[in-house]
Each structure stands twice: as structure tokens, then as C-alpha cells.
Amino acid sequence: MEQQKRYGHFDDQHREYVITDPQTPWPWINYLGNEDFFSLISNTAGGYSFYKDAKFRRITRYRYNNVPMDNGGRYFYIVDKETGSQGDKTIVWNPGWKPCKTPLDFYECRHGMGYTRITGRKNGVEASVLFFVPLKKWAEVQKLTLSNTSSETKTLKLFSFEEWCLWNAATDMENFQRNFSTGEVEIEGSTIYHKTEYRERRNHYAFYHVNTPIQGFDTDRETFVGLYNEFADPQAVMEGKPRNSHAHGWSPIASHYIEVTLAPGESKDFVFLLGYVENEQDEKFEKPQVINKKKAHALIAELDTTEKVDKAFAELCEYWDALLNIYKVKTGNDKLDRMVNIWNQYQCMVTFNFSRSASFFESGVGRGMGFRDSNQDLVGFVHQIPPRARQRIIDIASTQFPDGGCYHQYQPLTKRGNNDIGGGFNDDPCWLIFGTVAYIKETGDFSILDEMVPFDNQPGSEVTLFEHLKISMDHVINNLGPHMLPLIGRADWNDCLNLNCFSWDPNESFQTTENVSEGTKAESLMIAGLFVVTGKDYVALCRKLAGLSGKSGISGIDFAAEAARMQQAVDAMIEAVKKHGWDGEWYLRAYDFYGRKIGSNECDEAKIFIESQGWCTMAEIGAEDGMVAKSLDSCKKYLECEHGMVLNNPAFSKYIYEYGEISSYPEGYKENAGIFCHNNPWVIIGECLAGRGNDAWSHYAKILPSYVEEKYQTLHKVEPYVNCQMVAGKDAFKPGEGKNSWLTGTAAWMWYTVSEFILGIKPDYDGIRIDPCLPETATDYTVNRKFREADYEITIHPNGAQKGVKTITLDGQPISGTVIPYSPGKHTVEVTL
Ligand code: BGC
């Protein structure tokens, strides 16, 4: 096996991951920004910034799949002199090693909560840059501290560098006959303004500022870099001479030139600010052709000293303290504690902000927000930012159709459903129940159900959110197939199981091609399980509303009758699964258009799939007949490997046109028998509900980044502090290699699984339900959980048991049952298993 080199380590006290070697196996990135202005930053300062939408408001340019891979970013070039036996020699270096790649005497990158600090040392000089986006500000701060650690006076030349994107990240990469003639800038003192297209339909510009007088600048890329040079050796830098170029068309950039003298031991701070401004139509210009800079000046004034920047940074840290104080565990197992308390929650917030749009695998020009993705992501951040979760639910529901179907995706800027992809993914409606129930249980806010929410964003079509939930359930009931199981439509959660696509044409998209006339036969066992789980939730919600009647505000619904109606549908689904969905040792995956079984022992390949095992065990279908236990055992036998559970087994070795995209992947990747981490927690929850704590834990630890980090930094390749979407499965060329890090539903599912099912602290309508499921080796642990207006300190004594709460005391008084009734204030809870 290849040698597993280490590139970094966790620093839990500072909530940082510390990268000590710049040549990581893949760029290891972090995210800056909380609400509007966002940046991606790699461990060598690569990446880009955008305002709200990575496609339409791209501020700086980034070239994906570049050579070398991570090229382009915010770069500081330091020009120094080295005295050797041959006399003085000029050296040029960057604090993040790239792009010059001059060997450094010291390198460190600390990725923290919403900030990154990159430090390099060379030849008696230290350059440390703190990158962050202050709360509520439309700007990225880059605070550069230059220190002279030598005993000589240092005279340095400093060049900054950013490359502007022409706003639309998609056309920026293609329409060169136009693009090369649009670029416009203005230079005012130490600020370079990027105002391309501002005269037209745009009301926004960007700027790059530094809080000190400059001795030169450049704004035209080729003049700065030179046509035959690269970012690694820009001509202006190599010659130590800025050109003071003014971009007219071509490729505008922003580079400041500053001469710095540092006495021995002296340090100087420079605050660079990359900002974004929008102006009202009638306030766009100060005078003809000159942009109105009032807002830019105001923004700069807020962040133009070290003190102001340090204060903004302290506020960001306090913001994260507060968010991460809502759920804190102390188990004594560092690997578990750091994921639960820091990185898993952090990744959930990043996923909330970015959905699946912008990472080093998602180019930011592709998909919008997924209907199902967003609902699932919600369980990862609802405890941290409930008001934003509420808004998200309303936004998502507003893209539903009157028959309960939904747009599969919507655009974050417009909040409109995405017509290119349309609807017809028949699992989508169920996820609205999943997200909404999680929100109400966390907040106790039933009033969200009364909100009037339109269909397809059409004014005048509004009904209550509760009505949206009802038609979501009905959409499944109204779309049953020959075995009374849910029709799959274009696909269910597995976007690549396209049973109604039948595509031989390589130019067709699997996702949008549907053989509509024949879409009435293929059925999904995954949706069946999902329907039972969310159906039970829906029934419980209706019963709760029946109890609240009069108080909920929704009139004209007999909730008790509605609960009974849905219970019947759930029972019928359970029967259909038992009758037509069981293969003997595991649950089937689907029926194809011809009524043939998918995911059965009768199949040549892909005899078993994970999704239906996960959802049918979560739904506990046939538990009394031993089905759940058998299914979970089969997952261990056929799906589990060293790096997690694969999606299906054996992998497809050829393309099967009635199955679609799933069989188009090579063995072991993505949906064809990759370890698609997102679905592993489903089985883990199934294990928890069945009380099999040892098995749950062993599956969980296999895909927990902190365990992977310890063993496989080289093999895993991508960032070891967050989950990735996919790890190559046992049939792949290199099992264990990770891909598509950061933006994945895995984050929310890992959080949901560990916080609610393993550690067992589960929000419920009337309080917190305590029901852990642990490995026998678990020792006593404490969870501090803020819940609505209450603050609980919950200590669990497992006593070697895997499951089963024996006693609970609340503030010293025993309570019956497993729900701690909600009451505001501070409480102490003791639980024994
Ligand atoms: C998509 C999900 C989908 C999953 C499995 C992800 O890339 O975002 O919506 O469920 O793939 O196909």
C-alpha cells in the first residue's frame, strides 16, 4: 500500500485544521462568508469570491480543472534580496508557497471557522495573512502582517494580485469576442475599482483596496504578467517594477505595489480589502463615466485599520462560539468530539450556504439548489439558525406544483424553479415533510404550517404550508405502480437510477430525458421506505395538531381524520413492501419498466442496494418478521468494506439501458458501487433503531473524517476534516480515494445520525427525547444542548449497554418515559442505560 504521509493535524483548542505541507494531495480548501459575500480559499491561497450567486456575481476569476490544478487566487508576492557567496540575489516568494513555489523556511495554513490564516517564512521575513469575511460585510479582508525576524534592516517590495471575473462565471469562460473588449477599471489612490459593464444593465462594481499609500499598481493582466510568463513569474514582479497599467478591455486585474522597510524585529500590518458594492440606478455615477464610490469609501472606512479588523475578526469568532455552543458533547474520545463539536457542524453550515453550487468539484455555474438536497441539509443547521431554516422551507415549498410534484431544483438568486431540469423525481415531495417536521420539533413553531405558500411561485395560488405537506403525501399515494409501490418517475434519491429514460443517444441527458408514456410502471422501494418514515411523521404531526386544535390556527381540517387516513396509507405501503419488496435476505431496490426485480439475488449484478436497506430499516418494515435484522446483516456481508458501505454489490460491469446512468460509471465510482457517503447514515440509523450499537458505531467510524484523517491522508486525497460525497468503493481501482468534498448531504446526515441516534438527543414537539444507541465500549458522556429557551446539561451513563434508557432524572427528580418535557431555563439531566 502507498505510504500514508501526513500533511496536517487538528488543533481542537483553536477549532482549526493545521496544514504543514503546502503540497497536499489535492487543494484543501475552506469557506469564508456567512450570508451574502463568499470566498473559497485553498491552502495555497487559491480560489475565488462571489456575491450571493457563484454563477451570476462572480467577483474574481478561477479556472477549474486547470494545470496546475489550483492556479489563480489572491496572491502576495514578496521580493527580497538574499546575500550569498556570489553577492546579492533577488528572491521572490509567496506566504502560501504558490504560485512561485519558492521553497519556504516555514509554511503553515490554518483553516478555522470562517477564516484561514496562511503563514510563510523566508530569509528572515515572516508573512502571515489572515483571510476572512466580516459578519454582514460585503468584503473579504486580507490582513497581511510582515515581520522582519532577521538582524538586518529589510527593504522589501510587495505586490498584491487579484484577477477580476467579468461577473457571469459561465460567459466569462467562453464569449471572448465580446469579453476582451468590455473590461473597465478606475484607479483612485490605493483602490482599484472593477467596473466592467457598469454602464449597461449592471448596478454593481468591485474594488481592491489597501490601507496604505502605494508606490505603483497594475490593472492589465498581460502587462503585469507578460504574455509568455505565468502567475509564478509575472514580469512586473520579477523585475520589481510595476507598470502602472490601466486596463482597457482584455483582462482586468488588480495589483498594488508597496515598498516596505522593516527594522530588525519590526512588524507591519497591511489591510487589503476585496469589496463589492451595489448602487441605486439614479445614483450610479458621480459624474459622467465616473462611478459613485460613496459606498465603497464607507465600507473601506469600516475596515481600514488593524484595530477595526481585529474587532471584526473577534465578532466572527464570537458568532461561531455561539453557534457551536448549542450542541456540545464531551465523551473523552477526541476524534468523536472534534467532529461533533466542530467540523461536522461547520460543514453543515457551509452546505446550508452553498447547497451544491460552489466547491472545488462544483464549478458554481451548474446546478441550482436541489429540492431534496435542501430539505435534507436543513436537519444539519436547523438548531443553529432556525429563522433561516424557516425561510428556506417556505422558499422550497414555493416551487411545488399543485399536484404535489416539485421542481427538482431552483435558483438561489431568483428562488424560481429551474425549467431546464423540471420535475418528476418522485421522492422529492416526501422530503418537504422531513425538513418541516425537523424545523417544528426544534423550534416548537407550529405557526409555520399556517404560512400561505404559492405553487410554482405564482401569486394568487397560495395555500397553507400544511396543505403543501398534505399534497406531498398524496403525490406518492396518487402515483403507485403495479405492485402498489411508489412509481419512481425520473429517479428517486439516486439520480442515476433512470428507469424511464431508455437512452442510447450519448448526447441526451440522463437527468432530463424521460420516456413519459412508459413512466407508469417502474417502482421504487426506496421511496416506499421514505414514504413510511415521513408518513409516520406526518401522522404524528396531525395527531399533535388535533390535540392543539383551535390553537394551530389552521381551520377546516379534521386532523384526527387526516391522521387516520394517512395511517391507512402507511399501513398499506408496509404491506406492499412485505409482499412485493422482500427478496429473502434483503429488501429489493426497485421494479423496472418490464416488472423485473432490481437489487435481487436473481439479478446477475447489483443484487443488493443500500438505499432500500436504509429506508426500509429506518421504517422498521417487517422488523417483527426478522426482515430488519436480516437486511442489516446483509449490508454488513455484501456492502461493507474497509472504507464504508458501497451503494450496490456487485458493481455493474456494463451499461444497461433500462437502468440508465447508474450503469454508465466504471465499477466502484459514484452511484455504481462507490461508497456514496450520504446513504451510509441511513443504514446506521436502521442499526440504531434496531438497538445494534456496536454495528452502528463501526459503520459510523469508517466514514468519520477524523478516523480517516489518522490513517489515510494520502489515499483519501481530499480534505480530511470534512466528509466527501464519494469514496471509491471496493470494486474501484483505488478503494478509499475520496472525491467531491464539502458540499454533500452526508454532512447533515452524519450530524442527524450522531446527534440524535447515536448520542441520542432528539428534539421532539414537547421536549427532548433521550434514546442513545452506543457501542458497548462507550463510557459516560455529557451533552450540553440549548433547546428553544432552555439549556440542558445531559449526562449519560451507558453501563455497557447498547440501547435502552432505564432511568432519567430531571433536576434531581425522576421522570417517566424518555422525553424531557420542555421548560425554559437551565436543567441538569442524568440518564442511565
Ligand atoms: C445529488 C442528490 C442525489 C445524489 C445521489 C447528489 O449529487 O445532489 O440530489 O440524491 O447525488 O444521486
Side-chain angles (χ1 to χ4, degrees):
M1 206 193 25
E2 90 193 292
Q3 213 199 329
Q4 294 300 311
K5 198 176 155 195
R6 291 185 67 79
Y7 300 87
H9 55 86
F10 287 101
D11 175 347
D12 295 339
Q13 202 199 332
H14 296 101
R15 298 194 193 120
E16 291 171 338
Y17 193 81
V18 189
I19 301 166
T20 48
D21 180 342
Q23 298 186 63
T24 46
W26 190 256
W28 286 2
I29 73 162
N30 193 13
Y31 286 85
L32 317 177
N34 304 287
E35 242 165 284
D36 298 324
F37 188 107
F38 294 107
S39 299
L40 281 68
I41 182 165
S42 72
N43 58 306
T44 53
Y48 60 93
S49 303
F50 62 90
Y51 172 77
K52 278 192 183 169
D53 188 310
K55 179 173 178 182
F56 293 115
R57 291 291 182 282
R58 188 75 67 96
I59 297 170
T60 51
R61 180 174 287 153
Y62 192 72
R63 296 168 189 82
Y64 275 83
N65 201 3
N66 207 345
V67 180
M69 182 48 75
D70 178 27
N71 217 20
R74 53 294 261 173
Y75 292 138
F76 293 105
Y77 296 90
I78 296 162
V79 184
D80 189 10
K81 275 200 178 48
E82 196 175 38
T83 311
S85 51
Q86 326 256 296
D88 279 358
K89 195 176 100 202
T90 299
I91 49 166
V92 182
W93 59 282
N94 316 99
W97 182 64
K98 280 191 75 169
C100 294
K101 298 197 285 185
T102 305
L104 299 176
D105 301 333
F106 172 84
Y107 158 90
E108 187 183 81
C109 167
R110 289 179 170 260
H111 285 318
M113 307 287 104
Y115 69 89
T116 287
R117 192 191 296 271
I118 297 179
T119 304
R121 275 183 221 141
K122 181 76 188 167
N123 197 30
V125 175
E126 180 179 285
S128 189
V129 199
L130 172 67
F131 300 90
F132 71 103
V133 173
L135 296 174
K136 310 264 176 222
K137 299 276 191 293
W138 294 357
E140 176 185 306
V141 169
Q142 304 161 356
K143 185 182 120 185
L144 165 69
T145 307
L146 275 181
S147 314
N148 180 358
T149 57
S150 76
S151 49
E152 325 260 293
T153 295
K154 285 273 182 189
T155 309
L156 307 170
K157 294 175 177 177
L158 171 69
F159 291 84
S160 68
F161 176 80
E162 294 268 12
E163 182 176 7
W164 302 115
C165 179
L166 305 175
W167 302 117
N168 180 324
T171 55
D172 183 68
M173 292 188 289
E174 53 185 39
N175 196 2
F176 300 108
Q177 61 79 27
R178 171 177 160 79
N179 289 353
F180 283 155
S181 294
T182 58
E184 288 194 275
V185 298
E186 275 182 41
I187 302 126
E188 180 199 58
S190 301
T191 314
I192 295 162
Y193 292 88
H194 176 226
K195 59 169 188 176
T196 297
E197 286 194 351
Y198 186 74
R199 64 172 67 192
E200 301 171 18
R201 298 154 297 163
R202 297 190 183 277
N203 64 348
H204 52 87
Y205 61 81
F207 65 85
Y208 193 37
H209 166 85
V210 59
N211 69 341
T212 185
I214 55 175
Q215 286 75 53
F217 61 86
D218 271 294
T219 67
D220 177 67
R221 190 184 65 198
E222 270 68 55
T223 311
F224 177 76
V225 177
L227 194 54
Y228 299 98
N229 291 43
E230 300 172 26
F231 290 148
D233 59 353
Q235 251 169 16
V237 176
M238 300 325 276
E239 290 168 18
K241 269 193 234 120
R243 297 340 195 213
N244 297 340
S245 58
H246 189 122
H248 298 282
W250 300 111
S251 300
I253 58 152
S255 171
H256 305 96
Y257 168 72
I258 305 166
E259 289 167 359
V260 190
T261 304
L262 292 174
E266 191 185 353
S267 275
K268 270 187 192 158
D269 286 342
F270 302 87
V271 180
F272 291 84
L273 198 65
L274 176 73
Y276 171 88
V277 168
E278 285 182 358
N279 274 337
E280 293 300 324
Q281 198 58 29
D282 53 353
E283 290 177 359
K284 276 176 72 168
F285 296 96
E286 186 173 302
K287 52 186 184 208
Q289 312 260 343
V290 178
I291 57 176
N292 179 347
K293 304 185 184 65
K294 239 202 213 141
K295 287 189 185 168
H297 291 159
L299 182 51
I300 289 168
E302 290 177 73
L303 291 158
D304 60 352
T305 64
T306 298
E307 294 68 36
K308 290 180 196 173
V309 164
D310 290 350
K311 188 164 167 274
F313 183 60
E315 282 163 10
L316 178 70
C317 296
E318 281 159 25
Y319 168 82
W320 275 103
D321 280 347
L323 285 180
L324 296 176
N325 266 336
I326 297 170
Y327 191 122
K328 266 178 129 171
V329 71
K330 211 165 159 199
T331 65
N333 173 347
D334 290 351
K335 291 200 207 40
L336 177 63
D337 292 359
R338 71 168 63 106
M339 291 319 294
V340 173
N341 295 336
I342 307 169
W343 293 98
N344 192 179
Q345 296 201 58
Y346 183 58
Q347 187 180 4
C348 286
M349 279 293 274
V350 168
T351 315
F352 159 70
N353 281 323
F354 293 88
S355 187
R356 306 294 175 270
S357 69
S359 71
F360 269 31
F361 293 85
E362 304 275 12
S363 64
V365 299
R367 356 189 208 174
M369 316 268 286
F371 190 98
R372 73 160 85 92
D373 292 342
S374 299
N375 275 300
Q376 292 170 79
D377 292 348
L378 202 122
V379 299
F381 62 80
V382 64
H383 63 295
Q384 295 182 323
I385 42 170
R388 293 175 76 189
R390 190 182 207 273
Q391 188 55 49
R392 179 69 53 96
I393 291 170
I394 309 278
D395 290 346
I396 301 170
S398 306
T399 66
Q400 200 170 22
F401 302 118
D403 73 346
C406 330
Y407 276 109
H408 193 48
Q409 293 176 0
Y410 69 100
Q411 293 308 125
L413 207 59
T414 61
K415 297 189 176 176
R416 297 273 156 164
N418 185 337
N419 271 316
D420 301 341
I421 187 141
F425 293 75
N426 283 353
D427 63 313
D428 273 336
C430 292
W431 296 110
L432 187 62
I433 318 258
F434 181 72
T436 308
V437 164
Y439 169 78
I440 301 175
K441 286 187 172 172
E442 178 66 37
T443 56
D445 171 19
F446 288 92
S447 76
I448 190 174
L449 296 170
D450 309 340
E451 287 290 336
M452 298 301 284
V453 181
F455 291 112
D456 191 7
N457 279 295
Q458 294 306 314
S461 65
E462 292 81 0
V463 298
T464 61
L465 179 66
F466 181 81
E467 198 68 32
H468 280 265
L469 301 190
K470 179 164 176 274
I471 62 165
S472 295
M473 296 305 297
D474 284 339
H475 189 265
V476 178
I477 299 172
N478 294 337
N479 287 281
L480 298 178
H483 301 93
M484 299 311 279
L485 293 165
L487 290 170
I488 196 166
R490 282 206 173 127
D492 57 25
W493 169 86
N494 189 335
D495 273 340
C496 300
L497 193 61
N498 318 116
L499 304 182
N500 293 302
C501 180
F502 303 104
S503 178
W504 280 120
D505 178 354
N507 301 322
E508 272 173 0
S509 148
F510 286 111
Q511 300 294 306
T512 52
T513 307
E514 189 188 8
N515 190 332
V516 180
S517 60
E518 293 168 352
T520 50
K521 298 207 182 84
E523 298 164 293
S524 160
L525 265 302
M526 185 257 158
I527 306 184
L530 175 65
F531 176 82
V532 173
V533 171
T534 49
K536 287 180 184 172
D537 279 344
Y538 179 87
V539 168
L541 176 65
C542 289
R543 293 205 176 118
K544 183 77 201 151
L545 290 168
L548 289 178
S549 77
K551 279 188 235 151
S552 84
I554 308 173
S555 55
I557 297 178
D558 180 344
F559 287 113
E562 180 60 4
R565 179 181 81 96
M566 202 50 66
Q567 186 61 52
Q568 258 181 13
V570 167
D571 292 343
M573 189 67 78
I574 292 173
E575 283 317 305
V577 173
K578 284 179 164 178
K579 197 154 161 215
H580 300 293
W582 182 247
D583 198 54
E585 297 293 319
W586 56 80
Y587 302 97
L588 292 175
R589 175 64 176 89
Y591 283 96
D592 71 10
F593 164 70
Y594 303 101
R596 291 183 305 221
K597 294 174 182 171
I598 299 181
S600 157
N601 210 10
E602 292 166 20
C603 302
D604 294 336
E605 296 184 331
K607 289 167 181 283
I608 171 170
F609 283 79
I610 198 167
E611 301 97 323
S612 43
Q613 313 318 316
W615 281 97
C616 294
T617 58
M618 280 163 80
E620 302 182 286
I621 297 174
E624 63 290 355
D625 304 326
M627 288 181 181
V628 165
K630 278 191 188 155
S631 158
L632 295 171
D633 287 343
S634 296
C635 291
K636 279 171 65 180
K637 196 159 161 199
Y638 301 107
L639 301 179
E640 193 183 16
C641 69
E642 191 185 347
H643 304 284
M645 283 177 279
V646 297
L647 191 145
N648 53 293
N649 183 254
F652 290 104
S653 63
K654 51 185 180 301
Y655 176 59
I656 305 177
Y657 95 116
E658 61 266 34
Y659 286 11
E661 186 170 356
I662 188 165
S663 55
S664 73
Y665 288 109
E667 294 89 321
Y669 296 102
K670 294 280 288 179
E671 281 89 340
N672 184 16
I675 298 161
F676 213 98
C677 302
H678 187 145
N679 53 41
N680 276 227
W682 300 344
V683 174
I684 303 173
I685 294 175
E687 292 279 10
C688 289
L689 294 173
R692 301 166 34 142
N694 291 338
D695 291 327
W697 176 258
S698 111
H699 288 310
Y700 173 73
K702 279 194 173 161
I703 59 165
L704 194 65
S706 49
Y707 279 89
V708 179
E709 193 265 354
E710 189 183 39
K711 263 172 118 176
Y712 293 125
Q713 293 197 7
T714 310
L715 171 65
H716 188 68
K717 206 166 171 152
V718 290
E719 295 88 336
Y721 33 93
V722 290
N723 273 110
C724 56
Q725 180 208 54
M726 199 267 306
V727 174
K730 53 186 172 175
D731 308 284
F733 175 69
K734 219 185 214 187
E737 190 179 65
K739 282 193 190 121
N740 201 356
S741 50
W742 281 101
L743 305 183
T744 158
T746 313
W749 277 102
M750 287 295 274
W751 171 251
Y752 186 57
T753 302
V754 71
S755 64
E756 299 198 12
F757 294 90
I758 295 179
L759 298 172
I761 312 296
K762 201 167 174 32
D764 212 328
Y765 297 120
D766 299 318
I768 292 190
R769 185 179 296 281
I770 312 280
D771 189 14
C773 184
L774 304 159
E776 284 160 347
T777 49
T779 49
D780 293 3
Y781 62 95
T782 301
V783 174
N784 284 90
R785 178 65 154 97
K786 293 195 198 310
F787 179 65
R788 304 178 198 168
E789 302 296 313
D791 206 334
Y792 294 99
E793 179 158 297
I794 306 165
T795 303
I796 316 258
H797 307 277
N799 300 318
Q802 294 185 54
K803 179 131 173 146
V805 167
K806 285 207 185 101
T807 63
I808 301 184
T809 62
L810 169 62
D811 300 324
Q813 299 303 312
I815 60 165
S816 62
T818 53
V819 178
I820 310 169
Y822 169 67
S823 72
K826 269 186 175 277
H827 302 285
T828 313
V829 180
E830 294 280 330
V831 181
T832 56
L833 261 55

